[in-house]
Amino acid sequence: MKPVKLIVGIIARNPDMLEQGVKLLEQTFGPVELKSPVIPWDFSNYYQEELGKDLLRSWVAHQGVFEPDRLISYKKTAIALEGQLKDALGRRQVNLDPGILSLHNLILATTKDYSHRIYLGDGIYAEVTLIYQKGGFQPLAWTYPDYRTAICLEFLRACRNRLLEEEALRRRTEIT
């Protein structure tokens, strides 16, 4: 099993909640090594009732490599972290969506079933969101609009390059 990068997509009410989400992620999964620019999340009103209007979107990648077979655990942990940041009315203030990035694709974890998702167990599904071919990440029919943006695709390209560097370092270490 080849290691992957742990990527987390973050949608938050405001910059403070975005930063609090990143801090909790770092306390749990280790340091963030790559961070995307923050963009407005105005792709739909799906989160508006719970999180509010004028939402912010960012992505982070954690330092090092992770085991792909732990995707259920990553999602369950993210759900628990969201719970730590609920407001006084019990509403989420941040949405944390973990995924695993390999050299070939980005797979997101979700609790929502749909025709193109595979049930992993414990209420968690996996979705291949992007595939890497022809020198870049390519969206699929169901890829969310924010994962199609140049900001996201550039961030994921940088994460993939970092994974390639880590793989090359691992190979050199094995040889010596």
Side-chain angles (χ1 to χ4, degrees):
M1 202 173 352
K2 290 199 176 192
V4 296
K5 296 300 287 178
L6 176 61
I7 309 296
V8 182
I10 307 167
I11 300 173
R13 275 189 189 178
N14 55 50
D16 181 53
M17 280 297 111
L18 197 66
E19 281 308 309
Q20 285 190 46
V22 172
K23 284 180 186 173
L24 281 178
L25 289 168
E26 286 189 308
Q27 290 169 7
T28 305
F29 297 117
V32 164
E33 73 176 344
L34 294 169
K35 213 182 219 185
S36 78
V38 177
I39 61 172
W41 195 84
D42 53 8
F43 300 94
S44 81
N45 59 6
Y46 182 82
Y47 293 104
Q48 187 172 323
E49 186 176 329
E50 186 175 22
L51 297 175
K53 294 182 179 182
D54 302 321
L55 300 175
L56 302 173
R57 158 62 98 187
S58 182
W59 292 269
V60 297
H62 289 276
Q63 185 176 341
V65 293
F66 290 76
E67 295 301 319
D69 60 351
R70 305 245 1 250
L71 186 57
I72 293 173
S73 172
Y74 304 147
K75 181 62 175 176
K76 296 289 233 178
T77 299
I79 292 168
L81 295 177
E82 291 173 352
Q84 292 181 35
L85 296 175
K86 286 186 176 180
D87 67 13
L89 299 174
R91 296 176 303 189
R92 288 187 304 169
Q93 299 185 83
V94 66
N95 179 68
L96 304 172
D97 284 324
I100 52 174
L101 181 97
S102 74
L103 297 178
H104 311 290
N105 58 35
L106 172 68
I107 299 173
L108 296 180
T110 181
T111 58
K112 298 176 234 26
D113 187 12
Y114 207 67
S115 60
H116 60 280
R117 295 180 177 154
I118 299 167
Y119 186 67
L120 299 177
D122 209 14
I124 306 300
Y125 298 82
E127 171 187 293
V128 176
T129 299
L130 296 163
I131 58 172
Y132 190 86
Q133 65 181 173
K134 299 180 182 174
F137 283 100
Q138 307 298 321
L140 302 164
W142 50 81
T143 301
Y144 295 117
D146 44 343
Y147 281 84
R148 296 171 183 258
T149 63
I151 294 283
C152 181
L153 295 173
E154 176 59 26
F155 167 74
L156 294 173
R157 184 198 60 75
C159 294
R160 185 178 186 276
N161 287 343
R162 186 68 188 115
L163 186 58
L164 282 167
E165 292 168 7
E166 290 167 339
E167 178 68 15
L169 179 61
R170 185 186 64 76
R171 285 187 189 146
R172 282 194 303 273
T173 305
E174 286 178 355
I175 293 170
T176 57

